[in-house]
Amino acid sequence: MLKKINKKITTVIGARPQFIKAAVVSREIARFKNLQEIIIHTGQHYDANMSDVFFRQMQISQPAYNLSVNNLSHGAMTGRMIEKVEEILLIEKPDIVLVYGDTNTTLSAALAAVKLHIKVAHVEAGMRSYDKKMPEEINRVLTDHISSIFFCSTKQAIKNLTKEGFTSAKNEIVLTGDVMYDASIFFSPYMQMPAFDIPDKFVLSTIHREENTSDCSKLTEIISALNALHKDIPVIMPVHPRTKKILQQYGCEILFTMFEPVGYLQMIGLLKKCSLVITDSGGLQKEAYFVETPCVTIREQTEWIELIDSGANILATSNKNDIIKKAKHMLKSKINFQRKLYGDGNAAFKIASFLSNV
Ligand code: UD1
Ligand code: UDP
């Protein structure tokens, strides 16, 4: 059947979590015959195991454009992305630009679009940590301010937007649930384990956020906590390239098992098998909950506060003893994972359906 396309969506993605989120939304967009999607990859993440692996494993259409903007300071990266995204938007003339989350890719694409009077639709709108030291908080707050369609993962996100005065006739605020929950449900049957030996019981850890890695003393504390825990229960870490580079500079002693980033299917396998997650990742906190694994989050606050309220997630400072204490506590905790915190697994459908009809 011929498609009667009457709406062009340009999706702009560039960082690992965005590939995972876009995978489920793009699949749903393809099912709506009136929608055409063009994917722009800003190039923010570029290693094969930070980018290509997700396109392959999750069968995401190849981007129509790759801007190769990466490895730059915040200002330089954001500026170059705006310039290059704008060039493409002038050629493609989409009706809507779709952006995800809170990275430099998100804000740059939203800025390029809004200045051309193209509507911005923001997935994971309304999330807040209320900590402006975090680059992610700046990116998400500013992106919300220039968006007109807000796809919200949680009721809390809508509360935040309401409190900040976003509810007006010209803004569309939609409670969709979280697309990462959709991804976890859809890809779980295809989960894999990494090709190397994984212990029977272990702690899975990832650390990459700027606030934990750019400060040598904080990162050293975190690593020594993981080293100490490893004596009781094996700790394994697929290491983010940012963290790997910094650890090499500091010359930290690492006693636990570190390996290159893995694909999403291996990550689901590891998440399901581990006894505890210790992370500063936004996405991994939720994914731990989806597979009923407790989590310690090494951050001063989290935008996913319902995880804390449920008892499935606990915050730790970067202090070694605090991390060890919280990890031991969570390893023993009995947690109720029955509450559906992130929707019904149809967030991506709701997003595509809204885009089709708006
Ligand atoms: C970015 C996001 C962060 C998100 C994370 C997901 C911003 C401000 N930060 O942080 O919110 O949680 O992505 O993983 O957008 N590098 C490589 N290879 C790659 C990618 C990165 O070597 O494929 C190295 C480069 O040295 C680069 C550094 O990692 O300079 C940091 O990358 P960058 O994209 O600036 O920030 P992330 O820490 O990945
Ligand atoms: N992830 C992955 N392989 C890894 C580490 C993480 O596939 O080696 C996935 C993880 O399962 C989650 C996403 O990457 O879906 C989270 O991305 P990241 O932690 O880089 O960013 P954040 O969510 O903090 O923005």
Side-chain angles (χ1 to χ4, degrees), residues 10-27 29 37-46 49-56 58-61 63 65-67 69-70 77-78 81 85 97-111 120-125 135-140 143 178-183 187 208-209 240 264 281-284 286-287 304 348 351:
T10 294
T11 294
V12 187
I13 49 182
R16 171 167 71 185
Q18 293 164 338
F19 308 136
I20 292 159
K21 293 165 196 173
V24 285
V25 177
S26 293
R27 189 166 7 84
I29 288 177
E37 186 186 33
I38 306 277
I39 298 179
I40 302 178
H41 187 327
T42 58
Q44 181 169 351
H45 287 175
Y46 51 93
N49 56 21
M50 293 293 286
S51 176
D52 293 356
V53 66
F54 302 101
F55 284 83
R56 199 174 57 248
M58 305 177 91
Q59 298 181 359
I60 310 168
S61 304
Y65 302 90
N66 190 320
L67 311 183
V69 182
N70 49 55
M77 186 187 283
T78 309
M81 283 178 185
V85 171
V97 166
L98 183 61
V99 297
Y100 291 85
D102 51 23
T103 71
N104 289 345
T105 289
T106 317
L107 176 61
S108 311
L111 270 167
V120 176
H122 186 199
V123 177
E124 275 188 14
E136 293 81 11
E137 182 72 359
I138 311 279
N139 288 339
R140 58 173 91 97
T143 300
D178 196 277
V179 294
M180 290 194 106
Y181 184 42
D182 297 22
F187 289 101
H208 73 279
R209 288 298 180 106
H240 190 288
Y264 184 67
S281 161
L284 217 61
K286 288 180 282 173
E287 288 171 337
W304 306 106
I351 289 170

Side-chain angles (χ1 to χ4, degrees), residues 15 31 50 61 66 91 148 169 186 197 283 289 336:
R31 293 173 55 201
M50 293 293 286
S61 304
N66 190 320
I91 299 167
S148 45
F186 184 87
D197 276 350
Y289 187 85
N336 177 1

Side-chain angles (χ1 to χ4, degrees), residues 297-309:
T297 298
I298 307 182
R299 290 207 348 214
E300 283 171 25
Q301 69 312 94
T302 175
E303 49 286 8
W304 306 106
I305 56 166
E306 50 290 320
L307 295 173
I308 306 291
D309 296 342

Side-chain angles (χ1 to χ4, degrees), residues 181 185 289-290 292 306 337-345:
Y181 184 42
I185 294 170
Y289 187 85
F290 303 153
E292 305 193 357
E306 50 290 320
F337 288 98
Q338 294 317 303
R339 280 178 57 210
K340 293 264 177 233
L341 301 178
Y342 296 104
D344 58 6

